[in-house]
Amino acid sequence: MAFSRRNRLKDGSSSGPKRALLLVLVSVCAVLVLTFLLKQRIKVGSIPSSSSPSYTSVGIEDDSILVQLDPSFKPELPKQNDLSLSLEERNRLPPRNTDLFPSLAKDHIKIVLYVHNRPKYLDIVVKSLSQVDGIGETLLIVSHDGYFPEMDKIVQGIRFCQVKQIYAPYSPHLFADSFPGVSPGDCKDKDNPLEKNCRGNTDQYGNHRSPRIVSLKHHWWWMMNTVWDGLPETHNFNGHILFIEEDHFILPNAYRNLQLLVDLKPKKCPECYAANLAPSDVKSRGEGWASLIAERMGNIGYTFNRTVWRKIHAKAKEFCNFDEYNWDITMWSTVYPSFGTPVYTLRGSRSSAVHFGKCGLHQGQDAASACVDDGELKFQVEEADQVSNINPDWSVHFFQRQSGYQAGFKGWGGWGDERDRRLCLSFAYIYHQHHSHQ
C-alpha cells in the first residue's frame, strides 16, 4: 500500500503546478460569482432572467424581508389620457413650503393623508393637522384619488409644514370611457355576458364591477406602493409612516404620542407590527387606563415601517385576488392572517384621532362622537388631548380575542373582474421592473 501510494504521488508530481493554477482559477471565479450575487442583491427591483422568483434586499434592519417578484407576471397598465399623464408629471414635483421648513427633524414620522372628494371633510382634517404639536417637523404627503379642483385648492393652501401632492394616475375617476373607468361594452350590475354580448367577470354574488366602488382599493394599493417604493422623498426612508384619511380628525397631541409609541414599540411590544392613534373600534375613544394597549390593527391613524411594508407587499397576490372592494377588510381577512402570528398594534388608552361622519347617520352616537353638520365639526377637543398623555413606564395590556373581520370571511364582493385584479397586481411591480401599457 505504501509503495502504491508513493508511486501515485510520484506520478502526479509533475502535474502539481497545473493543479495549483487550477485551484487559483477556481478561487478567483468563486470570488467573482459571489461579488456579482452580492451586487445583484442590493439592487432594488433587479430581475434575473431565470424562471424562479427574484428576491431583492431592501437594505433595512431586517434583511430577511425581501421583495418577491414573479418574472412570469407581465404588468399591464391602461393607456393614459392627457389628464392622467399631466397628473403623473405633477407627482414628480418636489415638496412645497421648503422655504418655511427647510429641513425635517431627524426622527420625524412622515404623514400620508389619502383623500377622494369630500372638501368639507378635508378642510376639517387640514385645520386639525395645523394644530398638531410637531407638525412642522415632518413631511405631509396628500394622495388624491382622481383630480377634484376644490380638494386640490385646500391642499394648495397648506402652510404649516412641508407638503407634497400625488395623484393616482390610473384612478377610474380619470377615465370616462375606458378601463379602469367604464369601457364601451362592459357588463353592468347582473348582466349576462352571453345575452348582453358584454364584457366582464362577476364577483361571488353575481355582480359586475363598479368603477366608483373599485377605486377605493385601487387607490390604497397604488398609494402604498408609490409612497414606499416610488417617491424620492420616501424611497430610502426606513422610519415609520403614518396613514390617515379625510374623515379622521387629528388631535393636537397625536404626533408627540406617536413618536413615543414608535420608540416604545420595540421595547414594550416587540411582537407589535404597528402603532395606532385610535382603537380598532371606531366608536371608542379609548379605555382611559394607565397602560398601553396592544390589539388588532385598526384603520385610523396606523403607522408602520418598511419591514412591515415588505411583508404586506409580499402578499400582493392575496390582496389583489380577494373578492372584497374594501382595502381594510381585505387586509384583516386574508393578508394579516397569512403572516402566521397575531398582527398586534400598540396604542395609548386614549384616542389621538377620531373618525367623524355626517351628523345623524352614525349608529350609537354619543357625546364623545364627532360629526359634521353644515361643514362644522361637532366635537370638543379636551385639555387631555392638547399634550402627550402616554407614560413610557406603563405596562402593556393585550386584547387577544377581539371581534371583527378575520380569516375565513369570504368578502363583500365588488372585486371579481380579472382586469381589476391584474391592474392591482401590476401596481406591486411598477417600481420594480419595466411594464407595458395596454
Side-chain angles (χ1 to χ4, degrees), residues 364-417:
Q365 280 186 349
D366 54 34
S369 299
C371 65
V372 177
D373 189 8
D374 293 329
E376 293 294 325
L377 182 69
K378 306 298 182 182
F379 174 73
Q380 188 68 37
V381 177
E382 299 178 14
E383 191 65 31
D385 303 320
Q386 296 287 349
V387 296
S388 178
N389 51 22
I390 290 176
N391 188 332
D393 296 327
W394 283 346
S395 60
V396 180
H397 179 89
F398 282 79
F399 286 127
Q400 296 182 332
R401 292 178 179 83
Q402 292 178 279
S403 59
Y405 296 101
Q406 51 194 293
F409 179 66
K410 64 179 183 178
W412 291 115
W415 194 263
D417 199 297

Side-chain angles (χ1 to χ4, degrees), residues 200-241:
N201 312 100
T202 61
D203 65 11
Q204 58 189 309
Y205 304 105
N207 299 300
H208 286 280
R209 73 187 297 267
S210 165
R212 181 180 63 86
I213 293 297
V214 299
S215 71
L216 300 171
K217 190 167 176 176
H218 277 313
H219 179 213
W220 189 86
W221 188 240
W222 172 85
M223 172 198 69
M224 281 291 169
N225 280 276
T226 300
V227 165
W228 286 110
D229 297 326
L231 299 179
E233 294 83 6
T234 53
H235 183 72
N236 294 314
F237 181 69
N238 293 327
H240 282 65
I241 298 180

Side-chain angles (χ1 to χ4, degrees), residues 167-180:
Y167 305 82
Y170 302 101
S171 167
H173 303 287
L174 303 179
F175 297 81
D177 55 5
S178 63
F179 178 83

Side-chain angles (χ1 to χ4, degrees), residues 73 75-78 169-172 175 179-181 209 214 218-219 221-222 225 320 415 417-430 438:
F73 179 80
E76 294 178 1
L77 297 173
Y170 302 101
S171 167
F175 297 81
F179 178 83
R209 73 187 297 267
V214 299
H218 277 313
H219 179 213
W221 188 240
W222 172 85
N225 280 276
C320 292
W415 194 263
D417 199 297
E418 287 300 319
R419 291 171 295 172
D420 286 313
R421 296 183 177 193
R422 191 168 186 85
L423 177 59
C424 174
L425 197 54
S426 294
F427 289 155
Y429 284 74
I430 53 178
Q438 294 175 349

Side-chain angles (χ1 to χ4, degrees), residues 154-176:
I154 292 172
V155 180
Q156 293 278 339
I158 292 176
R159 294 290 182 270
F160 52 78
C161 66
Q162 285 192 25
V163 61
K164 179 183 176 74
Q165 289 175 268
I166 57 175
Y167 305 82
Y170 302 101
S171 167
H173 303 287
L174 303 179
F175 297 81

Side-chain angles (χ1 to χ4, degrees), residues 22-176:
L22 180 62
L23 182 62
V24 170
L25 288 173
V26 170
S27 300
V28 171
C29 288
V31 170
L32 290 174
V33 169
L34 181 61
T35 301
F36 173 78
L37 290 175
L38 287 173
K39 286 182 177 180
Q40 289 299 104
R41 178 181 168 85
I42 62 174
K43 291 179 181 178
V44 173
S46 59
I47 310 230
S49 56
S50 66
S51 59
S52 60
S54 64
Y55 296 91
T56 308
S57 172
V58 296
I60 53 179
E61 66 269 22
D62 184 357
D63 279 335
S64 67
I65 307 298
L66 306 172
V67 179
Q68 183 174 348
L69 299 172
D70 180 3
S72 67
F73 179 80
K74 302 301 180 185
E76 294 178 1
L77 297 173
K79 184 178 180 180
Q80 293 176 264
N81 54 33
D82 290 342
L83 178 56
S84 172
L85 289 169
S86 67
L87 293 177
E88 191 170 57
E89 189 66 28
R90 286 184 65 174
N91 291 349
R92 300 187 180 98
L93 293 175
R96 296 191 302 273
N97 298 336
T98 52
D99 55 330
L100 302 174
F101 306 93
S103 62
L104 303 176
K106 184 178 180 181
D107 61 344
H108 73 282
I109 298 169
K110 297 185 192 299
I111 302 174
V112 175
L113 167 62
Y114 49 106
V115 303
H116 174 50
N117 187 26
R118 292 183 286 184
K120 290 182 178 179
Y121 282 30
L122 178 60
D123 191 52
I124 291 170
V125 173
V126 167
K127 287 177 180 176
S128 75
L129 283 170
S130 72
Q131 301 302 308
V132 170
D133 183 24
I135 191 68
E137 301 174 5
T138 189
L139 168 67
L140 172 65
I141 300 172
V142 182
S143 182
H144 296 265
D145 182 16
Y147 176 76
F148 302 96
E150 195 172 354
M151 299 288 285
D152 195 58
K153 183 179 179 180
I154 292 172
V155 180
Q156 293 278 339
I158 292 176
R159 294 290 182 270
F160 52 78
C161 66
Q162 285 192 25
V163 61
K164 179 183 176 74
Q165 289 175 268
I166 57 175
Y167 305 82
Y170 302 101
S171 167
H173 303 287
L174 303 179
F175 297 81

